[in-house]
Amino acid sequence: MIVYYSATGSTKKVARAIHTGMTGAIDADLASIREISPEAAGGYDLIGVGCPNWYFREPANVRLFMYRLPRMDGRLGFVFCTHAATPLGIFHSMVPMLRRTGLTIIGWGDWYGSVHQVLHAAKPDLTDGHPDAVDLAEAEAFGREVAERALRVTAGEHDLIPTIPEGRDADVTFRPRPMGEPFPGAQVTRRIDAERCTYPACRLCEDCCPVGCIDLAADPPGIGDGCWNCSLCNRLCPEGAIVLEGPGVDRMQTHKHIDMTKCRYPACTLCVDHCPMDCIDFSQNPPVFTHACEGDDLCWGLCPHGAIEISNLEETHVKMWEGFLRGREGRDRHFFFDMLDEAEAAGRFRRLVPLEDVGWDNPVFGIERIPRFDIEELLGDS
């Protein structure tokens, strides 16, 4: 079983190519994360989980899916991702979560993808055009390789199980944490609201923390200094018991609301259908975005009526974009550019958008047409 989450189609294309490669060697099924339950996925002998890289880790809905998988002792797994400038950190997050189910990880792969819903990204972006036919041929070969390895490992060739890279010298997908925080300059602390928290009945945040810095048994329960601000805990908590505080809260969270004079719900449900965390609540009047919002602002870009508005765009995406522009060169050069240069020199990255064609002054939030991108077209083409 290959399970994937795809926001705008890149990961879906890669997942389908992997599936094609696998079916030449074994029987394999393919499903999006909305199409199969963790319990059903747990019935397979081999499971692959794929997603885009958000905030140097898997999206919160994928984290939750892996957390809810049943025990799979004696069975095999693999991971894959799509990303823009770098896959930094994601498999260091995904692999331990799958291993806790008893899975033995036998492979991993990453591919570059186009950038559509990241509002502060250039348009066209540095990695737009990926995954192309070359990438998908590589993904198909990867699928075939993983399937054949699974057969041989099952037959007893355990020496084929790869060693998971570890430490700061590991491949970028397995480094233990990102270089700095996902939101540099956003001074934010988190506290646990003991009145809302239902520990010990629920320990989701503690179990899902990629760096293990949450201690619910402490008095009071706390979040340690190791936190690198990935926001999984506050997005996953079913009670909204993790409270963000500090001057950087508005810097890292967009404040969205829905203009019901423009919204066509329930005739149009695109935002709800494509929200990774099911956080748009139309049962309230006016509708609200719950604390589970991943902050990717996919809904804003795909709304065909321009009904979703962001009130603090200047504090969030505009500042991210300005930092991106400052980081193109000089002393403050952003490590994204260095990593792409290194990947290109090593033959791991092919530029499909020449540097002179990158839309440095055309971030996604500057697109005036509605919708900013056609989500059905993007997913349909994949």
Side-chain angles (χ1 to χ4, degrees), residues 39-331:
E39 294 75 21
Y44 285 78
D45 299 308
L46 170 66
I47 181 171
V49 180
C51 59
N53 187 335
W54 287 1
Y55 313 110
F56 306 102
R57 43 79 172 168
E58 67 276 22
N61 60 334
V62 177
R63 187 74 169 178
L64 190 58
F65 181 90
M66 293 190 296
Y67 177 74
R68 289 174 172 169
L69 284 170
R71 294 295 306 179
M72 300 182 70
D73 300 270
R75 284 175 273 182
L76 308 177
F78 66 94
V79 290
F80 63 97
C81 76
T82 56
H83 54 84
T86 171
L88 183 65
I90 188 168
F91 295 156
H92 182 80
S93 176
M94 292 180 73
V95 167
M97 183 56 70
L98 287 178
R99 278 178 152 181
R100 71 188 292 278
T101 70
L103 283 170
T104 296
I105 305 302
I106 64 168
W108 50 85
D110 68 277
W111 288 267
Y112 290 92
S114 299
V115 180
H116 297 288
Q117 87 279 10
V118 180
L119 305 193
H120 52 270
K123 188 49 67 182
D125 198 38
L126 292 155
T127 60
D128 277 2
H130 289 280
D132 63 358
V134 175
D135 298 316
L136 298 182
E138 292 175 355
E140 186 172 335
F142 170 79
R144 184 166 52 252
E145 177 187 351
V146 168
E148 292 171 351
R149 184 180 301 156
L151 289 173
R152 294 176 64 183
V153 169
T154 302
E157 295 186 56
H158 293 172
D159 58 323
L160 294 178
I161 299 173
T163 301
I164 304 296
E166 296 180 354
R168 297 191 175 277
D169 294 328
D171 181 81
V172 290
T173 54
F174 283 97
R175 289 180 191 165
R177 58 170 292 169
M179 300 174 185
E181 293 186 347
F183 302 92
Q187 298 176 14
V188 173
T189 59
R190 288 171 174 77
R191 65 175 175 85
I192 299 173
D193 185 337
E195 293 186 2
R196 295 186 191 176
C197 180
T198 59
Y199 175 82
C202 174
R203 50 185 306 157
L204 184 62
C205 64
E206 184 175 87
D207 290 344
C208 286
C209 176
V211 293
C213 72
I214 300 177
D215 186 358
L216 295 176
D219 186 18
I223 299 174
D225 295 335
C227 173
W228 52 265
N229 202 18
C230 76
S231 283
L232 275 174
C233 58
N234 48 278
R235 287 164 181 164
L236 290 175
C237 177
E239 307 299 332
I242 298 179
V243 182
L244 275 64
E245 298 175 326
V249 172
D250 288 341
R251 170 78 170 80
M252 63 174 289
Q253 285 186 324
T254 50
H255 301 315
K256 296 191 287 286
H257 66 276
I258 298 176
D259 183 345
M260 293 307 293
T261 66
K262 298 178 181 179
C263 180
R264 297 295 180 267
Y265 182 86
C268 174
T269 59
L270 277 179
C271 62
V272 175
D273 294 342
H274 294 280
C275 177
M277 292 300 291
D278 297 322
C279 77
I280 307 176
D281 185 0
F282 274 94
S283 70
Q284 300 190 48
N285 187 18
V288 299
F289 294 83
T290 72
H291 67 277
C293 175
E294 259 285 45
D296 67 311
D297 298 324
L298 178 68
C299 56
W300 183 89
L302 62 80
C303 178
H305 308 291
I308 298 175
E309 300 175 351
I310 299 175
S311 61
N312 63 335
L313 190 65
E314 291 289 328
E315 281 297 305
T316 54
H317 292 292
V318 172
K319 286 190 180 297
M320 293 286 279
W321 170 62
E322 290 173 347
F324 183 70
L325 291 182
R326 289 194 302 271
R328 285 182 293 172
E329 56 189 22
R331 184 181 62 183

Side-chain angles (χ1 to χ4, degrees), residues 112 338-351 355:
Y112 290 92
D338 292 334
M339 297 194 79
L340 278 179
D341 289 346
E342 293 171 8
E344 186 175 29
R348 296 184 68 241
F349 173 59
R350 294 172 294 107
R351 291 186 190 271
L355 279 175

Side-chain angles (χ1 to χ4, degrees), residues 329-371:
E329 56 189 22
R331 184 181 62 183
D332 297 326
R333 181 176 168 89
H334 199 290
F335 74 87
F336 280 177
F337 296 99
D338 292 334
M339 297 194 79
L340 278 179
D341 289 346
E342 293 171 8
E344 186 175 29
R348 296 184 68 241
F349 173 59
R350 294 172 294 107
R351 291 186 190 271
L352 302 180
V353 178
L355 279 175
E356 60 269 22
D357 292 340
V358 173
W360 302 115
D361 296 325
N362 300 286
V364 176
F365 65 72
I367 297 175
E368 295 183 358
R369 69 175 182 270
I370 301 298

